[in-house]
Amino acid sequence: MNRNDEKQLETLSPFEVKDTLMNLAEKNKDHAMINAGRGNPNWIATEPRDAFFQLGLFALQESKATYDQYPGFGGMSEKECISTRFLSFCEQNEHVAGVRFLLNAFSYLTTEHKLDADELIYEWVEGILGDNYPVPDRMLKNSEFIARKYIEQEMGHKEGLPDSEFDLFAVEGGTAAMVYIFNTLKTNRLLNKGDDIAIGAPVFTPYLEMPELEDYSLNKVEIMATEETFWQIPDSELDKLRNPNIKAFFLVNPSNPASVKLSDETLQKIADIANERPELIILTDDVYGTFTDNFTSLAMLAPKNTILVYSYSKYFGATGWRLGVIGVNKDNNLDRMIADLPEQTRYELTERYSGISLDPANIKFIDRLVADSRAVALNHTAGLSTPQQIQMSLFSLLALMDGGKEYQENAKRIVRARYHTLMEKSLKEPTITESNVNGAFYYVEINIQDLAASAYNNDFFTWMKEEYEPLDFLVRLAEESSIVVMPGGGFDAPQWSLRVSLANLPQSAYASISTAINTVLGSYYQTYLNR
């Protein structure tokens, strides 16, 4: 690939670049491809899945018991005494994987949280069968309770947090959450074309790309974290949020690609600005929070300003399930901002939602998200599929019950061991070590400039930058070693950097990646010496 081709390729999203690199890697028949480009974990949480399938068998048993007119047909389950029949099923099958989990979950919810036994099991049975539309459409009652307890536990480790309770909207993963939020903020005139929004960078690329689309036409102001500050945001950058022209602040925490959470000190500074500016809308995407120690979400520190996005995909190995939630505090500034819109705008919005409520002017922001997700007119069919919500509940329960802490520690051990293997042969001391309390270690950003300067000298890198495109390093990795990584520049990390996913490969592969990076850098240096 020549330099002009690389220049053109650099204009694409890093996810599109990855596909080209994969094609190059596959052409090398001397090596099996090692794809460290995608963040899909290569593990799954088995206990909640065992429980899901056993619950499905009980649900089918219930269905078949209520309808026998024709073979191959079942009916809707009977709610009365369904928990008694559930316990009988569990006792008969206690030796089967997943049943003990169901029993423990039932006991935990009905004893510790006093949930009605028949209501709980009826929701699980009807939900897993998927024989009814989601009711409530935003999220099933007990499923929301369970997911809320999970969010409160995993997203709120800091003591002395403000009192808050979140309404949740179950959605098709974090990506759907992004689409719904952008759309409803625009539709309800909370963000308008030409508005300035701040983006915490480096960041997951769609947060950089979506605001620029004609649909939104928002002006981006980047709030930059740097490697020099261990991927924290310096005060000089945070001060940009005090500008009244900044309407919103979107961030991914822990970050992507650096995979480092914001420190408690940094988060508190943002929360203080939010308290000063009640009109500042904050969106925090916290999908990697469970891979860090003692994680606290900005949504817990500034609950009135903040929309929380969480996805179950990475932690539980469930990208194919498409499971996520949007959380909005019951007492929030978004609802107040809608109420304070100009009269004509409020009239137009009242007209928009008039077909789904007798009091459309007072529909909460989170319920507007639900309606807008189905273009309002199809609001009656809104909601995440009920089998997905039941699996989400079981994932949540794994973390809430005994054994949840062990699962978390093991998940952290997996990615940290891979990080150690990758960095063991690095030509430069890593910026973030495994003992760093802010590290998530789901990805790692490797700065080629720092690597070149540390292993050789600054003049060598100056020459590299003049002679080659930043993407050339990734192209060589793919062509020569069949190794695929993501370009860091596409995430607004330094142009001469790359992102390695620590989630989707066996640990031994990371030694090969590190060796290949060193080899490619060495080949540039030989060319430099022989020039």
Side-chain angles (χ1 to χ4, degrees):
M1 183 176 289
N2 62 43
R3 189 166 186 175
N4 285 334
D5 291 337
E6 290 171 351
K7 275 186 177 180
Q8 286 188 324
L9 201 56
E10 284 168 348
T11 65
L12 298 179
S13 161
F15 296 96
E16 303 304 322
V17 172
K18 172 180 63 67
D19 292 341
T20 300
L21 295 175
M22 287 175 64
N23 290 333
L24 293 173
E26 286 173 343
K27 290 177 181 178
N28 186 331
K29 303 305 180 184
D30 295 329
H31 302 278
M33 183 170 66
I34 298 176
N35 183 1
R38 194 154 197 195
N40 198 110
N42 64 346
W43 70 82
I44 66 168
T46 56
E47 278 193 284
R49 286 174 167 90
D50 280 333
F52 180 87
F53 292 117
Q54 291 305 315
L55 181 61
L57 293 176
F58 170 70
L60 278 174
Q61 179 178 298
E62 286 290 296
S63 175
K64 291 174 181 178
T66 64
Y67 193 95
D68 59 2
Q69 185 175 355
Y70 299 108
F73 286 77
M76 294 187 178
S77 53
E78 295 286 347
K79 183 176 180 180
E80 186 176 355
C81 297
I82 193 171
S83 62
T84 302
R85 298 191 296 276
F86 169 77
L87 290 173
S88 176
F89 170 87
C90 289
E91 287 167 6
Q92 294 168 17
N93 297 279
E94 195 170 354
H95 61 286
V96 179
V99 172
R100 173 53 57 184
F101 184 96
L102 289 173
L103 276 170
N104 289 341
F106 177 81
S107 175
Y108 166 77
L109 292 169
T110 57
T111 302
E112 187 166 333
H113 293 293
K114 310 301 181 187
L115 297 190
D116 182 273
D118 283 343
E119 281 191 7
L120 173 65
I121 300 304
Y122 186 72
E123 179 179 303
W124 281 4
V125 166
E126 289 292 286
I128 206 166
L129 290 173
D131 59 1
N132 258 311
Y133 291 107
V135 179
D137 49 14
R138 182 160 56 77
M139 196 166 186
L140 301 178
K141 177 184 174 183
N142 292 306
S143 296
E144 181 179 14
F145 176 84
I146 295 165
R148 184 188 296 120
K149 288 297 176 187
Y150 170 70
I151 293 294
E152 289 172 351
Q153 173 180 288
E154 299 300 333
M155 302 286 109
H157 277 275
K158 187 178 180 182
E159 294 182 2
L161 294 171
D163 290 334
S164 59
E165 184 177 355
F166 287 86
D167 287 323
L168 299 183
F169 174 22
V171 295
E172 303 88 342
T175 49
M178 288 174 59
V179 173
Y180 295 158
I181 292 167
F182 268 89
N183 186 43
T184 294
L185 288 173
K186 171 194 170 187
T187 298
N188 285 270
R189 315 316 196 258
L190 297 178
L191 286 180
N192 299 290
K193 288 189 175 184
D195 280 350
D196 293 341
I197 64 166
I199 308 286
V203 70
F204 181 50
T205 311
Y207 282 106
L208 297 168
E209 296 171 340
M210 286 180 67
E212 296 178 341
L213 295 175
E214 184 182 357
D215 307 45
Y216 308 108
S217 298
L218 299 167
N219 300 320
K220 296 181 303 183
V221 177
E222 294 193 355
I223 308 294
M224 293 296 299
T226 63
E227 195 168 2
E228 291 73 26
T229 59
F230 301 98
W231 299 111
Q232 299 302 307
I233 304 174
D235 290 352
S236 58
E237 291 291 297
L238 291 178
D239 283 342
K240 295 177 183 178
L241 297 176
R242 301 183 190 278
N243 184 340
N245 292 326
I246 301 289
K247 305 297 185 184
F249 177 38
F250 297 166
L251 74 156
V252 175
N253 182 38
S255 56
N256 180 2
S259 202
V260 175
K261 72 175 182 178
L262 295 178
S263 68
D264 289 345
E265 181 184 10
T266 302
L267 286 173
Q268 190 58 56
K269 289 176 181 177
I270 299 171
D272 290 342
I273 294 172
N275 289 330
E276 296 167 12
R277 295 195 58 208
E279 77 284 3
L280 179 66
I281 300 166
I282 297 175
L283 187 159
T284 182
D285 184 337
D286 296 346
V287 59
Y288 305 105
T290 43
F291 291 92
T292 68
D293 298 330
N294 301 318
F295 181 76
T296 298
S297 170
L298 188 55
M300 301 297 179
L301 292 168
K304 293 183 180 182
N305 297 66
T306 307
I307 304 167
L308 169 69
V309 170
Y310 179 76
S311 167
Y312 289 72
S313 60
K314 305 298 173 38
Y315 190 48
F316 297 101
T319 52
W321 263 108
R322 315 308 296 143
L323 302 178
V325 290
I326 300 171
V328 178
N329 192 42
K330 289 181 182 293
D331 179 13
N332 67 82
N333 294 336
L334 295 154
D335 291 337
R336 294 188 185 93
M337 291 166 69
I338 290 171
D340 290 340
L341 288 168
E343 184 178 354
Q344 179 61 30
T345 304
R346 283 187 283 115
Y347 172 78
E348 292 169 2
L349 292 174
T350 296
E351 286 291 297
R352 176 179 177 83
Y353 299 109
S354 61
I356 63 171
S357 172
L358 295 176
D359 187 17
N362 292 315
I363 295 177
K364 295 191 298 183
F365 175 78
I366 195 161
D367 293 317
R368 294 173 189 237
L369 281 169
V370 179
D372 294 335
S373 75
R374 296 297 183 269
V376 182
L378 294 169
N379 182 68
H380 64 288
T381 62
L384 183 67
S385 83
T386 58
Q388 287 173 280
Q389 294 195 47
I390 303 308
Q391 183 67 90
M392 185 189 297
S393 296
L394 296 172
F395 284 145
S396 298
L397 285 162
L398 172 64
L400 289 167
M401 299 190 306
D402 291 342
K405 184 54 66 177
E406 182 182 5
Y407 179 86
Q408 183 174 48
E409 290 305 315
N410 287 334
K412 291 193 289 189
R413 286 188 186 104
I414 290 171
V415 292
R416 292 174 191 221
R418 294 170 182 180
Y419 178 84
H420 177 78
T421 298
L422 179 72
M423 290 307 195
E424 201 171 22
K425 296 183 179 179
S426 174
L427 299 175
K428 174 184 175 292
E429 286 293 316
T431 302
I432 303 293
T433 64
E434 293 120 290
S435 61
N436 187 286
V437 295
N438 295 322
F441 304 101
Y442 198 87
Y443 305 109
V444 61
E445 184 263 2
I446 295 176
N447 189 314
I448 301 303
Q449 177 176 355
D450 290 350
L451 202 62
S454 176
Y456 301 105
N457 55 63
N458 285 318
D459 289 344
F460 163 54
F461 178 74
T462 300
W463 169 84
M464 265 184 79
K465 192 165 63 170
E466 291 172 353
E467 295 294 321
Y468 300 97
E469 291 299 309
L471 198 60
D472 190 72
F473 197 99
L474 280 68
V475 169
R476 291 198 190 192
L477 276 176
E479 289 180 333
E480 297 171 11
S481 302
S482 295
I483 287 172
V484 177
V485 295
M486 296 282 268
F491 299 82
D492 272 15
Q495 283 295 316
W496 281 86
S497 69
L498 55 88
R499 188 197 78 172
V500 177
S501 168
L502 299 170
N504 66 328
L505 295 168
Q507 188 170 335
S508 59
Y510 294 96
S512 300
I513 292 171
S514 189
T515 298
I517 289 172
N518 296 344
T519 300
V520 169
L521 188 63
S523 70
Y524 282 105
Y525 189 65
Q526 284 303 312
T527 305
Y528 168 73
L529 293 177
N530 297 332
R531 70 194 188 282

